[in-house]
Amino acid sequence: MPITILLADDHAMVRRGLHVFLSTQTDMKVVGEASNGQEAIEQAEKLQPDVVLMDLHMPVLDGIETARRLRTILPGIRVIVLTSFSDQDHVIPAVRAGVKGYLMKDIEPEDLAVAIRNVHAGQAQLHPAAAGQLMHVMASFDIQLEAQDTVRTDSTAYGKVQDYEKLKQPLQMEETSPSMDALTRREQEVLALIAQGLSNKEIAVQLVITEKTVKTHVSHLLDKLGLADRTQAAIHAVKNGWV
């Protein structure tokens, strides 16, 4: 069965381009389109797609509120955001709303197809810049949690801890902590650059190796750490103090 997709974007040309490309993928089928958030919810209820691929900035109902409502009324649908914004004010609310993917509109077409397949399979997919914002916030909350006595007596800080718990929910992962020694020196270098938010292409330039070699290192380190994707690897590295 093909992966059924609903497109939601207020720009007709964007929807058309996505529709044309995704139609070339034999394992995907675009079943509908929406030009605003409210229409996306109505179409999702009617069509029951596997994936909703949508913009954040839409009229009537924005992408974040749309994702939040879809999670409530249609929890089985996976939402992927395709946007031009990678700042904290967009990334964090989107993750909290339950999106399973946060991608930038400059993504390569084949990479978009891979991301859709991964999200459909249950993996989280974040653009490196979005992952960097998420890790920054999580690291900040972790620092606050270390001062537990202060946190528990300060209502503002306690509220932040609650936000931290909410933030972790959409991207749950294994709490195992394999040793950094399990990785080769080059894999450790690649992991450190992933944690800094660099793409495979940027890592290749930094380390003076091919992008294909970078992908191989990423695949190996994911296997060794028992993680599903580079986003989990980056967060795992930060939380364990490896970078």
Side-chain angles (χ1 to χ4, degrees), residues 4 32 43 46 139 183:
T4 54
Q43 291 280 16
K46 176 183 177 181
L183 306 181

Side-chain angles (χ1 to χ4, degrees), residues 36-229:
N36 62 64
Q38 183 59 46
E39 187 177 338
I41 292 175
E42 294 170 356
Q43 291 280 16
E45 290 181 304
K46 176 183 177 181
L47 301 170
Q48 300 286 312
D50 297 314
V51 173
V52 174
L53 182 63
M54 69 178 185
D55 192 10
L56 280 183
H57 285 228
M58 294 186 293
V60 184
L61 199 64
D62 65 36
I64 291 172
E65 184 59 29
T66 300
R68 187 177 293 113
R69 296 188 187 183
L70 285 173
R71 183 178 63 177
T72 300
I73 62 179
L74 296 167
I77 291 180
R78 293 176 169 85
V79 176
I80 300 175
V81 164
L82 187 63
T83 182
S84 301
F85 302 94
S86 61
D87 57 281
Q88 185 173 312
D89 290 340
H90 289 86
V91 175
I92 304 307
V95 172
R96 286 175 176 158
V99 305
K100 302 303 181 183
Y102 195 105
L103 308 174
M104 304 301 291
K105 285 187 174 179
D106 62 359
I107 189 173
E108 293 294 329
E110 290 303 325
D111 290 337
L112 174 60
V114 170
I116 291 173
R117 294 186 185 101
N118 288 342
V119 167
H120 180 254
Q123 300 178 21
Q125 295 288 297
L126 296 185
H127 183 275
Q133 293 288 356
L134 179 60
M135 288 185 293
H136 173 74
V137 172
M138 292 183 72
S140 297
F141 283 133
D142 277 336
I143 291 172
Q144 292 175 15
L145 286 173
E146 290 177 1
Q148 291 186 3
D149 291 339
T150 303
V151 168
R152 291 179 180 178
T153 57
D154 183 271
S155 59
T156 301
Y158 181 70
K160 291 182 178 179
V161 173
Q162 292 179 314
D163 286 343
Y164 173 72
E165 294 301 325
K166 292 178 184 178
L167 183 61
K168 293 192 298 182
Q169 291 176 4
L171 293 172
Q172 290 179 352
M173 62 185 71
E174 294 291 332
E175 290 298 329
T176 55
S177 299
S179 171
M180 186 70 152
D181 294 336
L183 306 181
T184 66
R185 180 182 61 81
R186 182 62 87 184
E187 288 166 355
Q188 292 178 20
E189 293 173 344
V190 170
L191 178 58
L193 294 174
I194 288 175
Q196 293 176 30
L198 273 65
S199 66
N200 285 347
K201 184 178 296 185
E202 291 169 330
I203 292 173
V205 173
Q206 185 90 357
L207 299 180
V208 196
I209 56 179
T210 67
E211 189 172 353
K212 182 178 180 181
T213 300
V214 173
K215 291 180 180 179
T216 299
H217 287 313
V218 172
S219 177
H220 287 170
L221 70 86
L222 290 178
D223 287 341
K224 291 178 180 180
L225 297 177
L227 301 173
D229 54 55

Side-chain angles (χ1 to χ4, degrees), residues 1-15:
M1 294 289 292
I3 301 170
T4 54
I5 303 168
L6 171 66
L7 303 176
D9 195 295
D10 58 329
H11 293 95
M13 285 298 293
V14 173
R15 298 197 307 272

